[in-house]
Amino acid sequence: MQIATTIAEVRTQVKAWRREGLTVGLVPTMGYLHAGHASLVDRAAADCDRVVVSVFVNPTQFAPGEDLEAYPRDFTHDCAVLEKHGCDLVFHPSVEEMYPPDASAYVELLSEMPKQLCGKTRPTHFRGVCTVVAKLFHIVTPDKAFFGQKDAQQLAIIRRMVRDLSYDIEVVGCPIVREADGLAMSSRNTYLSPQERKAALVLSQAVRLGQDMYAKGETDAEIVLHAMRAHIAAEPLAKIDYVCAVDNETMMPVLALCEGTLVAMAVYIGKTRLIDNFITGA
Ligand code: PAF
């Protein structure tokens, strides 16, 4: 497995693969890899001849006061995970390599999509995500790019960016990977104290509650969301940011659940903000 820190190194390697007629998959990550990331790399290795994984904690998607400095990092461990899961090239650039000091170009969807759900409390987050993902797409020029369904709004926004900017890249959404007790895997789970770790189960329990209600025939979004919110609110360490039902393509709120509706939540457990979701009927 090759490790590249410069854009030029990645371009040289990808061009060499292209000359051999090989297909290239990209898995963008911010590192501190867990089984959820590993599942994306597995899928990329199954679908593509060569796999590039970027490990870059992207400053432009963090607002001042968010956890950019505290965000967990362990590049040695990341490389061990990536080697095991069939990654061919790790792209681990510095901030200066990705963003020249006077960089001022951004990629941003101007529709309502990035203003919904997480965008309400993180208004500049998706501009940062789109910008770094657009840059990675230009640098790696993958045939396919792999993203987790846990970040459902991010996935929908990237699909829309790919469509609007005519990238010739297939965006592949991959299922949420959960711990044995249901907690969705996240690098931020590492912030949780043992007590908070137990409290965090309210998210996946609320997901199951919503799924069960829909499976039993309840399609009134407010009834389902009210039950999910009540379950979460009963946990003293939990503070709801949002629990919403939206159209999975536009992220706009819906009143009735139908097959393919996204039911998504963000909940603070202590100071840690966690997200989870399900798609009805999936
Ligand atoms: O999902 C993430 O880890 C990040 O938002 C991404 C897509 C790697 C962009 O920095």
Side-chain angles (χ1 to χ4, degrees), residues 27-31 37 54 56-58 61 71 125 128-130 132-133 136 147-148 151 154 158:
V27 182
T29 81
M30 297 208 299
H37 297 110
S54 58
F56 178 63
V57 181
N58 173 37
Q61 67 191 73
Y71 198 84
H125 173 66
V129 170
C130 283
V132 80
V133 172
L136 291 167
F147 295 88
D151 295 287
Q154 168 172 282
I158 288 167

Side-chain angles (χ1 to χ4, degrees), residues 11-229:
R11 288 203 163 123
T12 304
Q13 181 56 77
V14 171
K15 276 182 193 151
W17 287 335
R18 292 271 177 234
R19 278 196 297 274
E20 292 178 59
L22 300 172
T23 58
V24 178
L26 169 67
V27 182
T29 81
M30 297 208 299
Y32 213 69
L33 305 179
H34 49 65
H37 297 110
S39 75
L40 302 181
V41 182
D42 288 342
R43 176 71 197 272
D47 280 20
C48 304
D49 299 320
R50 293 291 180 267
V51 177
V52 179
V53 179
S54 58
V55 174
F56 178 63
V57 181
N58 173 37
T60 63
Q61 67 191 73
F62 291 80
E66 288 187 349
D67 57 342
L68 172 61
E69 280 80 28
Y71 198 84
R73 293 158 169 91
D74 187 345
F75 188 60
T76 309
H77 173 259
D78 291 345
C79 285
V81 171
L82 293 175
E83 182 109 57
K84 208 165 117 203
H85 286 269
C87 168
D88 297 286
L89 172 63
V90 189
F91 180 39
H92 184 47
S94 64
V95 172
E96 296 70 32
E97 180 70 6
M98 288 300 276
Y99 296 106
D102 57 350
S104 64
Y106 287 91
V107 177
E108 183 173 20
L109 297 192
L110 297 180
S111 66
E112 287 300 307
M113 266 177 98
K115 298 185 189 132
Q116 304 300 314
L117 306 179
C118 291
K120 290 199 171 144
T121 46
R122 306 188 75 194
T124 56
H125 173 66
F126 291 112
R127 183 179 86 153
V129 170
C130 283
T131 302
V132 80
V133 172
K135 285 168 72 76
L136 291 167
F137 284 178
H138 285 303
I139 294 164
V140 180
T141 63
D143 298 281
K144 294 188 181 192
F146 300 81
F147 295 88
Q149 176 61 39
K150 185 170 78 75
D151 295 287
Q153 188 178 13
Q154 168 172 282
L155 178 59
I157 286 172
I158 288 167
R159 284 192 199 286
R160 189 57 65 93
M161 177 186 83
V162 162
R163 187 202 72 176
D164 289 358
L165 298 181
S166 310
Y167 278 105
D168 188 12
I169 296 172
E170 184 186 332
V171 174
V172 181
C174 302
I176 297 175
V177 178
R178 296 180 181 280
E179 304 279 1
D181 60 5
L183 181 68
M185 296 224 179
S186 165
S187 304
R188 289 192 167 97
N189 291 347
T190 177
Y191 297 150
L192 301 169
S193 69
Q195 204 193 354
E196 289 171 341
R197 172 67 184 72
K198 275 193 205 127
L201 289 179
V202 287
L203 282 93
S204 53
Q205 287 163 356
V207 161
R208 270 202 304 280
L209 177 63
Q211 282 172 323
D212 287 350
M213 289 176 79
Y214 179 74
K216 287 186 183 133
E218 183 56 71
T219 57
D220 186 320
E222 252 335 292
I223 292 177
V224 174
L225 297 175
H226 179 79
M228 292 171 66
R229 286 184 194 124

Side-chain angles (χ1 to χ4, degrees), residues 214-215 218-219 246-248 256-262 279-282:
Y214 179 74
E218 183 56 71
T219 57
V246 298
D247 179 282
N248 191 31
L257 306 180
C258 60
E259 295 290 278
T261 301
L262 171 66
I279 296 195
T280 48

